[in-house]
């Protein structure tokens, strides 16, 4: 469903070249949940942004469903691939009601039956329909992220790109949000590509994981490898140890 081959992303800032991603390849099967993990600045979020057309691809190929992604991405891409961002407050327009936020993608794509679809979307993410005419500031962080997930699902995409979707939330709300995403994936047959710095989150959510460091792929592991701490590289082992320490702490 997702193919990334020899992807490189280079930024030019203040007269210097920043190689955010260098020669990364990965494939994600239909219905699979695939994780990208690494420290801040490892390039994992840049891969999601490159897939969406939000970061400049300097080399390599990206395919969705076996077809090369177009530039610019356009409506057909948006109806297949959607992204959920880290900070739900920043990603929701502060002066738009939840109703407007959820109905906007339908209007852009000329999809009818708006009222029913908005009500169903709220129900699907476990929010009461009374939230429909509230504003983001009237919701908790967890509720805002549920709205962001509902918005991403309005066009019934096949692929969700999840950029640290729970890192801005409290621990108890994190678990609820991850369980919601798991349920939606199962019900809808969604394909996930998920970024996290937290191996515990990746272990809970993903079938396979790619460990990244300094823009490069270091090691790919299955969930079983992760659970049994079967890492081949020192860097992956150190990440695992740091994640285990955080959980104990």
């Amino acid at each position: 469903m997702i193919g990334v081959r020899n992807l490189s992303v280079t930024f030019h800032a203040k007269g210097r070249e920043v190689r955010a991603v260098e020669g990364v390849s990965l494939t994600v099967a239909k219905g699979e949940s695939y994780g990208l993990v690494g420290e801040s600045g490892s390039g994992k979020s840049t891969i999601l942004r490159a897939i969406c057309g939000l970061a400049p691809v300097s080399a390599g190929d990206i395919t969705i469903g076996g077809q090369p992604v177009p530039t610019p991405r356009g409506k057909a891409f948006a109806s297949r691939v959607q992204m959920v961002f880290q900070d739900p407050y920043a990603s929701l327009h502060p002066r738009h009601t939840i109703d407007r936020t959820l109905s906007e993608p339908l209007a852009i794509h000329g999809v009818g039956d708006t009222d029913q679809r908005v009500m169903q979307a709220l129900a699907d993410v476990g929010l009461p329909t009374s939230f429909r005419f509230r504003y983001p500031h009237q919701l908790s962080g967890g509720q805002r992220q549920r709205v962001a997930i509902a918005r991403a699902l309005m066009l019934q995409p096949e692929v969700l790109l999840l950029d640290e979707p729970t890192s801005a939330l409290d621990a108890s709300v994190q678990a609820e949000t991850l369980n919601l995403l798991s349920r939606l994936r199962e019900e809808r047959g969604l394909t996930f590509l998920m970024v996290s710095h937290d191996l515990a989150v990746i272990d809970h959510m993903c079938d396979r994981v790619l460990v990244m460091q300094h823009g490069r792929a270091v090691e790919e592991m299955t969930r079983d490898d992760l659970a049994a701490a079967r890492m081949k590289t020192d860097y992956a082992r150190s990440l695992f140890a740091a994640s285990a320490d955080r959980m104990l702490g």
Side-chain angles (χ1 to χ4, degrees):
M1 180 56 77
I2 305 171
V4 174
R5 191 179 65 179
N6 297 325
L7 178 69
S8 292
V9 176
T10 304
F11 295 102
H12 297 275
K14 296 178 181 176
R16 69 190 189 96
E17 206 174 67
V18 179
R19 295 182 178 181
V21 176
E22 286 193 76
V24 172
S25 297
L26 61 93
T27 57
V28 187
K30 184 175 173 58
E32 187 178 18
S33 182
Y34 191 99
L36 296 172
V37 71
E39 294 167 304
S40 187
S42 61
K44 53 194 191 299
S45 293
T46 304
I47 291 176
L48 297 196
R49 297 177 74 81
I51 293 170
C52 275
L54 299 174
V57 174
S58 51
D61 305 303
I62 300 169
T63 57
I64 298 292
Q67 300 299 312
V69 294
T71 303
R73 297 294 184 262
K75 287 185 182 180
F77 178 85
S79 66
R80 295 190 79 182
V81 181
Q82 285 286 319
M83 187 156 165
V84 177
F85 294 90
Q86 179 176 0
D87 182 352
Y89 198 66
S91 72
L92 299 176
H93 195 300
R95 289 193 291 277
H96 287 181
T97 62
I98 304 312
D99 180 77
R100 183 170 175 187
T101 293
L102 297 182
S103 58
E104 199 166 44
L106 302 176
I108 290 169
H109 287 257
V111 179
D113 200 16
T114 304
D115 282 359
Q116 182 58 39
R117 285 173 184 267
V118 168
M119 305 266 270
Q120 186 60 52
L122 289 170
D124 286 346
V125 297
L127 291 176
T129 51
S130 60
F131 279 36
R132 189 174 168 188
F133 296 105
R134 292 188 185 182
Y135 291 88
H137 73 269
Q138 296 173 302
L139 276 56
S140 69
Q143 290 165 345
R144 285 195 289 263
Q145 194 61 299
R146 285 172 184 259
V147 171
I149 292 165
R151 177 182 58 184
L153 294 172
M154 290 307 292
L155 298 173
Q156 300 182 321
E158 299 164 80
V159 175
L160 277 193
L161 306 175
L162 303 162
D163 190 4
E164 301 263 16
T166 62
S167 65
L169 308 176
D170 294 338
S172 61
V173 182
Q174 269 195 14
E176 287 176 10
T177 308
L178 292 173
N179 289 336
L180 168 67
L181 286 165
S182 292
R183 175 175 64 77
L184 290 167
R185 177 187 155 216
E186 196 169 305
E187 288 174 359
R188 298 176 179 229
L190 293 164
T191 302
F192 284 177
L193 180 56
M194 181 175 192
V195 160
S196 182
H197 64 276
D198 190 338
L199 273 168
V201 169
I202 293 292
D203 181 45
H204 179 69
M205 293 290 294
C206 298
D207 306 306
R208 288 185 298 143
V209 57
L210 184 68
V211 178
M212 292 191 60
Q213 182 185 26
H214 305 319
R216 294 178 178 273
V218 173
E219 181 176 349
E220 188 179 69
M221 293 182 288
T222 64
R223 174 182 276 156
D224 290 344
D225 292 335
L226 196 55
R230 287 194 296 264
M231 293 88 181
K232 297 186 182 74
T233 61
D234 290 339
Y235 178 70
R237 272 190 287 274
S238 68
L239 260 190
F240 183 82
S243 193
D245 288 346
R246 275 199 300 272
M247 284 190 284
L248 291 172

